[in-house]
Amino acid sequence: MKNSLPYKIITQVICVVLLVILVFPLYLMLEKSLAVSGFGNYAKVFEYFNLIPNVITSIIVVGGTLIVVSIVVSMAAYAFSKLEFPHKQAVYYLILTGMMIPTSALIFPLYQIVRGLHLNNTGWSLVFPYATASACFNLMVLTNYYNALPDELIDAAKIDGANKWTTFIQIMLPIAKPGLVFVLIQTFLSAWNELQMAIIFINDTSKQPLSVVPLRFAQTTSSSGFTINNLFAACIICLLPIAVFYIFASRQLMAGLTAGAVKG
């Protein structure tokens, strides 16, 4: 049935319809951003706002989150997959239950911790909350990836005299690179686009990450001089970094999704 002509036509039509639904809002945003004044709408955005501090905050937040996730999650996933310690399965599934807790329920206790550490109103106030929010899913993905790797690799390393740390750093981690890259890309996308905690933890608008800036644009639109076309241009500017990143990272993202499925 899957090779029949009607099936192929129906699936292609469905794909085209879904593509139009996804792309049309982006096309509308781009078309409106160039209406009336053309690229002058983009120039006016930079006349109204200095976005450099917001970009710096986003880089600090995303970069710090990626560093924490790459270190903590990669080691934790390897431990749960290949090492033996008491109550390993119970601890693993207990951590995974964190995926059932909505992020909004964690905002108040996380804010209390951030304020107690005097990190509020800084980009660093979002690093550990973002890393924590994505830890459960990332741990599950990377643990399953390590599970697909043969234990004979570890046995061969032991025969060669490698200890557990050397085995992890020099053998297992390089092999698990596609899975780790997938985890880091997912973390990058979620950290760059997160809005709720960014608004609550950082009150100073000049220090907020770029994901919050469109709200300032929308508020400015109600005042004189900043039109709806300028608003769409501002949204395109905020969308551009993540779009460029996704274009270059899409191949690695698909490799991370498929590599673990064909191992073992």
Side-chain angles (χ1 to χ4, degrees):
M1 179 180 177
K2 291 184 178 180
N3 295 325
S4 62
L5 182 61
Y7 178 83
K8 293 181 179 179
I9 294 176
I10 293 174
T11 53
Q12 290 179 4
V13 169
I14 293 175
C15 290
V16 170
V17 171
L18 292 176
L19 179 63
V20 171
I21 293 174
L22 293 174
V23 172
F24 181 73
L26 298 177
Y27 165 77
L28 182 63
M29 185 185 301
L30 181 61
E31 190 271 334
K32 291 293 184 181
S33 70
L34 295 173
V36 183
S37 301
F39 287 101
N41 294 325
Y42 291 86
K44 197 167 187 178
V45 172
F46 291 100
E47 292 177 5
Y48 270 76
F49 301 101
N50 179 18
L51 300 180
I52 294 179
N54 304 106
V55 173
I56 293 175
T57 300
S58 292
I59 293 174
I60 292 174
V61 171
V62 173
T65 303
L66 293 180
I67 292 173
V68 173
V69 168
S70 61
I71 295 175
V72 175
V73 175
S74 62
M75 291 192 294
Y78 176 74
F80 282 116
S81 175
K82 299 301 183 182
L83 302 182
E84 295 296 332
F85 54 89
H87 311 295
K88 182 177 75 171
Q89 292 298 322
V91 174
Y92 175 69
Y93 288 114
L94 180 62
I95 294 175
L96 292 189
T97 57
M99 289 191 294
M100 297 185 293
I101 303 175
T103 304
S104 56
L106 300 175
I107 288 181
F108 181 72
L110 286 174
Y111 179 76
Q112 294 296 322
I113 295 174
V114 167
R115 191 175 66 173
L117 296 174
H118 304 289
L119 293 176
N120 51 312
N121 265 336
T122 67
W124 300 106
S125 64
L126 299 175
V127 171
F128 289 103
Y130 284 0
T132 303
S134 62
C136 298
F137 174 78
N138 291 335
L139 178 64
M140 181 186 68
V141 171
L142 206 53
T143 300
N144 290 334
Y145 195 93
Y146 278 120
N147 288 338
L149 300 179
D151 294 335
E152 287 77 9
L153 294 171
I154 300 177
D155 296 335
K158 289 180 180 178
I159 294 175
D160 291 337
N163 56 31
K164 293 180 179 179
W165 183 253
T166 303
T167 302
F168 168 67
I169 293 294
Q170 298 185 6
I171 299 176
M172 302 302 290
L173 188 59
I175 297 176
K177 180 182 176 181
L180 181 60
V181 170
F182 169 76
V183 164
L184 294 180
I185 292 174
Q186 287 289 98
T187 303
F188 177 92
L189 295 174
S190 61
W192 186 277
N193 293 322
E194 204 281 331
L195 180 65
Q196 193 174 22
M197 283 190 283
I199 296 175
I200 296 174
F201 291 5
I202 303 179
N203 297 321
D204 189 344
T205 56
S206 65
K207 297 179 180 179
Q208 290 175 333
L210 202 60
S211 60
V212 184
V213 173
L215 292 179
R216 292 164 54 194
F217 297 151
Q219 294 170 355
T220 308
T221 306
S222 59
S223 62
S224 59
F226 201 78
T227 65
I228 189 67
N229 303 105
N230 302 134
L231 174 60
F232 279 113
C235 292
I236 290 291
I237 293 173
C238 294
L239 180 65
L240 191 60
I242 196 70
V244 172
F245 173 83
Y246 186 80
I247 290 173
F248 287 100
S250 58
R251 178 176 296 182
Q252 293 291 336
L253 184 63
M254 293 305 300
L257 282 171
T258 57
V262 299
K263 290 184 179 292

